[in-house]
């Protein structure tokens, strides 16, 4: 066997079959590596992409939109398909009604001005946060109330404005996955690069799982798991990663009782899982710099609430509503078993689902909701509908919520840059840095084969690599960031073994 062929036969185990793991594994195969195995703790692939049948077609319990077009790998992948897979969601998250807890609908003329105030901050914050030494929360609060105090806004009721801003903060928490905006670093917020173009592109009636099918070439090959067929081990947890063996390889202890020896391991599990398990997962413990990155990068929970009704009870041009609680009305739920409902900030129409509304909830209340019986959650949600909306609300036909925190295979939804991230001076680059051993280069291995001698040269060989959205420097919290990170680690191995990799990440020559 030639040295080049031996390198392509190296055993590579990808831990996690979410977007990053699938992207990494399929790219490795595309680059010519042949001994690739994906190990997934869930009994399905997809990770935080979780498309399920519901109502008239499907819903996405996790990732839902392709965020932007330019420099977005997900968008670029869909452009190569035979059909238009993505479609604009339109102004659903702009044209919503603002409804107070006494059923009063805030006048459109007032609501649009309040929306414009926070909308304007989306532009100015890109410049002003560069000089911010505090949190995103303090910046947005000062910005909102400074603008509100201008003479042209003096006619806006102060209490309505306060209620609106409290709700807007909940919305922003769902964007960041933070519990409070005081946790989010103002400067760190700018680490994220928004892709130009429509940032809410939905997957029509197919769901985000269609991306996985594209990566695996499932439809092209007419098999469920495409190129990963026979290379995927589902419902199998990795219990221990021994990365300090004398032979420079990695030993994995699996929940099915097997031990697996690999030349390279690519870890694509969520940051939440790393936070929860890294102390007991790695043998020996991870280096201090890696632990600091895991501790310093933040990871939060965003949950969805899907309600299907027998028929739409709302007008055709109605896109949804946000919940503005009057202070005196909050006494009705605070201190009761329904206190978690305060953090549900809105319900919106769902593309290709004419009878479904989707609600959003974050932070501790979102995590608490996961622990409640389904009928109690449904009862609470119907209480909100009937309190805020004056229409006759029918009983739902079906009801489904996500539960990302209590699932030990996720422990949350996605990452953000917190004040702790900034203070610890860490980030995605430190998380992405591989664990290495000093090894021979492929060139020296070839020389050794020819000379029948083992000539060593100093070279860091990556044996444990880290992908996943949290390891993306500028596209964290997104699927395109997860795909980018998976491809990055596949290219890292290709480059280590001397494969020439094109700009798109494919092998151009050996």
């Amino acid at each position: 066997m030639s040295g080049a062929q031996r390198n392509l036969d190296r055993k590579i185990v990808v831990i996690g079959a979410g977007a990053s793991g699938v992207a990494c594994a399929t790219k490795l195969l595309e680059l010519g590596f042949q001994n690739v195995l994906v190990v997934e703790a869930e009994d399905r692939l997809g990770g935080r992409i979780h498309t399920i049948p519901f109502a008239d077609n499907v819903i996405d319990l996790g990732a839902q939109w392709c965020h932007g077009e330019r420099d977005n790998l997900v968008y670029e992948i869909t452009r190569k398909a035979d059909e238009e897979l993505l479609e604009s969601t339109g102004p659903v998250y702009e044209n919503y009604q603002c409804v107070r807890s006494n059923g009063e609908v805030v006048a459109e003329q007032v609501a649009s001005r309040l929306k414009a105030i926070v909308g304007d901050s989306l532009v100015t914050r890109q410049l002003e946060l560069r000089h911010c030494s505090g949190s995103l929360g303090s910046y947005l609060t000062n910005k909102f109330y400074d603008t509100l105090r201008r003479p042209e806004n003096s006619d806006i009721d102060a209490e309505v404005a306060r209620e609106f801003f409290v709700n807007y903060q909940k919305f922003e928490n769902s964007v960041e996955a933070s519990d409070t905006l005081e946790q989010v670093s103002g400067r760190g917020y700018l680490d994220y690069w928004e892709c130009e173009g429509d940032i809410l592109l939905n997957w029509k009636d197919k769901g985000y799982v269609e991306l996985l099918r594209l990566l695996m070439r499932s439809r092209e090959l007419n098999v469920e798991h495409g190129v990963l067929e026979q290379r995927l081990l589902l419902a199998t947890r990795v219990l221990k990663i021994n990365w300090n063996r004398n032979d420079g390889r990695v030993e994995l202890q699996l929940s099915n009782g097997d031990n697996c020896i690999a030349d390279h391991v690519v870890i694509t599990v969520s940051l939440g899982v790393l936070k929860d398990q890294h102390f007991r997962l790695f043998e020996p413990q991870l280096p201090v710099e890696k632990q600091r990155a895991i501790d310093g990068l933040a990871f939060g929970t965003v949950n969805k609430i899907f309600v299907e009704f027998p028929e739409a009870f709302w007008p055709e041009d109605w896109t949804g509503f946000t919940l503005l609680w009057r202070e005196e009305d909050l006494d009705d739920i605070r201190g009761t078993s329904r206190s978690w409902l305060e953090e549900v900030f809105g319900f919106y129409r769902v593309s290709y689902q004419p009878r479904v509304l989707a609600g959003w909830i974050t932070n501790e209340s979102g995590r608490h909701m996961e622990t409640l019986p389904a009928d109690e959650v449904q009862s609470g949600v119907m209480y909100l509908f009937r309190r805020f909306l004056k229409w006759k609300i029918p009983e739902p036909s079906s009801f489904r919520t996500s539960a990302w925190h209590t699932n030990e295979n996720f422990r949350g939804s996605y990452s953000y840059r917190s004040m702790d991230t900034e203070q610890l001076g860490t980030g995605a680059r430190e998380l992405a840095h591989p664990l290495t051993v000093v090894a021979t280069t492929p060139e020296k291995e070839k020389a050794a084969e020819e000379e029948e001698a083992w000539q060593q040269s100093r070279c860091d060989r990556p044996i444990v690599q880290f992908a996943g959205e949290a390891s993306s420097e500028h596209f964290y919290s997104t699927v395109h960031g997860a795909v980018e990170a998976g491809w990055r680690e596949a290219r890292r191995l290709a480059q280590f073994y001397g494969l020439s990799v094109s700009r798109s990440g494919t092998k151009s020559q050996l």
Side-chain angles (χ1 to χ4, degrees):
M1 181 187 296
S2 70
Q5 185 59 47
R6 186 172 65 244
N7 291 334
L8 293 176
D9 281 337
R10 301 286 183 178
K11 177 78 170 182
I12 306 172
V13 176
V14 178
I15 302 176
S20 202
V22 170
C24 181
T26 53
K27 183 61 70 176
L28 286 167
L29 292 170
E30 184 182 326
L31 288 165
F33 292 99
Q34 297 159 13
N35 197 354
V36 178
L37 174 68
V38 182
V39 180
E40 169 56 52
E42 293 279 298
D43 60 2
R44 61 175 181 85
L45 58 74
R48 285 166 280 169
I49 292 176
H50 192 188
T51 305
I52 64 167
F54 187 83
D56 294 327
N57 46 77
V58 298
I59 53 174
D60 280 307
L61 293 175
Q64 185 168 340
W65 294 292
C66 172
H67 295 294
E69 301 169 37
R70 185 175 179 180
D71 297 325
N72 184 317
L73 288 179
V74 170
Y75 184 80
E76 291 172 9
I77 291 167
T78 66
R79 295 297 89 187
K80 299 172 185 176
D82 294 333
E83 58 181 307
E84 286 288 329
L85 296 172
L86 300 174
E87 180 178 276
S88 176
T89 301
V92 170
Y93 287 80
E94 299 168 10
N95 292 352
Y96 56 85
Q97 282 188 327
C98 298
V99 185
R100 305 180 78 195
S101 50
N102 62 352
E104 174 193 343
V105 178
V106 177
E108 177 56 32
Q109 177 250 49
V110 174
S112 62
R113 288 164 65 193
L114 290 169
K115 292 175 188 178
I117 291 174
V118 295
D120 289 345
S121 78
L122 288 170
V123 178
T124 57
R125 73 178 70 169
Q126 294 297 321
L127 296 173
E128 295 173 349
L129 283 173
R130 295 176 187 173
H131 312 291
C132 175
S133 59
S135 69
L136 178 64
S138 61
Y139 167 79
L140 290 178
T141 300
N142 292 334
K143 190 76 177 173
F144 180 80
Y145 285 105
D146 284 350
T147 307
L148 193 66
R149 281 191 285 268
R150 292 175 183 170
E152 64 268 26
N153 295 321
S154 60
D155 60 321
I156 298 178
D157 183 273
E159 192 58 23
V160 170
R162 185 197 63 80
E163 294 164 10
F164 174 88
F165 186 64
V166 168
N167 179 272
Y168 176 73
Q169 289 175 298
K170 296 172 187 176
F171 169 81
E172 277 286 347
N173 278 323
S174 78
V175 174
E176 298 299 317
S178 49
D179 278 11
T180 75
L181 295 180
E182 299 304 319
Q183 296 173 326
V184 182
S185 165
R187 276 199 295 261
Y189 173 87
L190 297 180
D191 284 350
Y192 180 80
W193 292 356
E194 189 167 288
C195 298
E196 292 179 18
D198 195 323
I199 62 170
L200 292 182
L201 292 166
N202 69 74
W203 291 82
K204 299 184 181 180
D205 56 353
K206 289 184 170 61
Y208 225 127
V209 69
E210 190 65 19
L211 172 70
L212 304 177
R213 296 187 183 118
L214 289 173
L215 289 169
M216 297 184 298
R217 296 164 51 203
S218 299
R219 297 193 189 282
E220 177 188 339
L221 300 175
N222 200 30
V223 287
E224 182 182 5
H225 297 139
V227 296
L228 296 185
E229 201 75 25
Q230 307 301 318
R231 299 178 185 274
L232 188 60
L233 199 56
L234 295 174
T236 305
R237 296 174 58 82
V238 176
L239 304 178
K240 186 72 70 176
I241 301 172
N242 183 343
W243 60 281
N244 197 27
R245 289 166 52 96
N246 290 334
D247 61 1
R249 304 178 82 197
V250 184
E251 181 178 4
L252 303 177
Q253 181 184 337
L254 306 180
S255 61
N256 62 6
D258 291 344
N259 277 22
C260 177
I261 306 295
D263 295 290
H264 305 279
V265 171
V266 184
I267 297 172
T268 73
V269 301
S270 75
L271 177 62
V273 169
L274 289 177
K275 284 178 177 290
D276 185 45
Q277 299 181 21
H278 79 84
F279 277 120
R280 63 178 182 270
L281 186 61
F282 291 93
E283 180 64 40
Q285 293 293 304
L286 291 170
V288 172
E289 295 78 9
K290 184 70 67 182
Q291 293 188 36
R292 185 184 296 118
I294 292 170
D295 293 341
L297 291 167
F299 195 73
T301 302
V302 179
N303 275 319
K304 301 181 188 180
I305 304 164
F306 289 96
V307 191
E308 177 197 3
F309 293 96
E311 58 186 11
F313 58 80
W314 49 85
E316 179 121 4
D317 60 350
W318 186 82
T319 65
F321 73 108
T322 54
L323 293 79
L324 276 55
W325 281 97
R326 302 190 310 163
E327 194 62 35
E328 58 266 38
D329 291 338
L330 282 169
D331 292 338
D332 295 343
I333 60 171
R334 284 181 177 167
T336 75
S337 61
R338 285 183 167 172
S339 60
W340 62 274
L341 291 171
E342 183 178 348
E343 299 303 323
V344 179
F345 63 82
F347 288 89
Y348 306 86
R349 298 272 294 271
V350 180
S351 301
Y352 289 81
Q353 290 280 19
R355 298 177 294 109
V356 173
L357 294 177
W360 298 77
I361 184 171
T362 64
N363 69 33
E364 182 57 41
S365 293
R367 295 188 286 274
H368 175 68
M369 182 189 74
E370 298 183 22
T371 68
L372 299 175
D375 60 346
E376 185 175 339
V377 177
Q378 179 174 318
S379 173
V381 168
M382 294 309 296
Y383 166 80
L384 291 179
F385 279 125
R386 288 167 177 152
R387 172 161 199 147
F388 280 79
L389 301 178
K390 293 305 185 184
W391 301 314
K392 181 176 176 59
I393 315 291
E395 284 298 306
S397 305
S398 57
F399 186 88
R400 181 67 189 262
T401 61
S402 60
W404 292 109
H405 178 74
T406 49
N407 188 325
E408 63 181 348
N409 298 325
F410 301 104
R411 292 301 189 208
S413 303
Y414 39 88
S415 66
Y416 65 98
R417 304 302 180 248
S418 70
M419 295 300 293
D420 287 343
T421 314
E422 184 177 324
Q423 289 161 9
L424 288 173
T426 190
R429 188 174 301 179
E430 288 77 13
L431 181 61
H433 190 73
L435 306 180
T436 61
V437 295
V438 175
T440 60
T441 65
E443 292 78 11
K444 289 296 182 182
E445 288 187 22
K446 184 177 180 181
E449 182 181 60
E450 291 172 351
E451 299 171 14
E452 298 184 349
W454 193 257
Q455 303 292 330
Q456 285 201 329
S457 119
R458 305 296 286 181
C459 176
D460 287 337
R461 178 166 65 88
I463 57 168
V464 179
Q465 298 163 247
F466 295 82
E469 54 82 13
S471 74
S472 174
E473 201 162 357
H474 298 300
F475 299 127
Y476 56 89
S477 80
T478 68
V479 176
H480 59 275
V483 171
E484 173 210 50
W487 284 7
R488 180 194 67 220
E489 295 311 311
R491 287 195 298 267
R492 191 191 301 274
L493 285 179
Q495 288 161 355
F496 175 78
Y497 284 114
L499 304 180
S500 179
V501 181
S502 70
R503 191 166 176 267
S504 66
T506 57
K507 180 179 65 177
S508 57
Q509 63 182 49
L510 280 176

